Amino acid sequence: MTKERLTIEEMEQKYPNEWLLIVDYELSENTELLSGRLIAHSISRKEIRDISMNYTGRVAVHSTRKTPEGVGYLL
């Protein structure tokens, strides 16, 4: 999708309420996702999962949906 590296904040602004598939990502010391190259985005978690199954290499999946405090996603 894109060859440019974006920060997670930039991705969240560009693709609100979507699931993101990210490669060549950078993590903080606390394993927080900081930046990477976006290769797919969709409102469907299943679509992102299906795309990730065809990709060889390390990928990160990130949701830009706002969740209530104390609630998380189980992947």
Side-chain angles (χ1 to χ4, degrees):
M1 166 155 253
T2 182
K3 294 182 183 193
E4 68 177 310
R5 177 174 291 278
L6 300 172
T7 66
I8 292 305
E9 292 80 13
E10 290 170 327
M11 291 181 208
E12 289 175 345
Q13 287 177 359
K14 251 181 150 169
Y15 307 102
N17 299 311
E18 293 195 35
W19 290 90
L20 310 178
L21 185 60
I22 304 164
V23 297
D24 190 23
Y25 55 86
E26 178 185 2
L27 301 175
S28 73
E29 289 180 7
N30 299 326
T31 66
E32 180 182 2
L33 196 53
L34 299 175
S35 66
R37 288 186 311 108
L38 183 67
I39 60 169
H41 64 94
S42 174
I43 59 170
S44 167
R45 179 177 68 173
K46 182 185 180 313
E47 183 177 353
I48 293 299
R49 185 192 71 219
D50 292 347
I51 293 168
S52 73
M53 299 299 263
N54 295 320
Y55 186 84
T56 55
R58 293 177 18 170
V59 298
V61 175
H62 179 72
S63 173
T64 62
R65 295 182 176 156
K66 300 299 178 203
T67 57
E69 184 140 343
V71 175
Y73 291 105
L74 179 61
L75 299 176

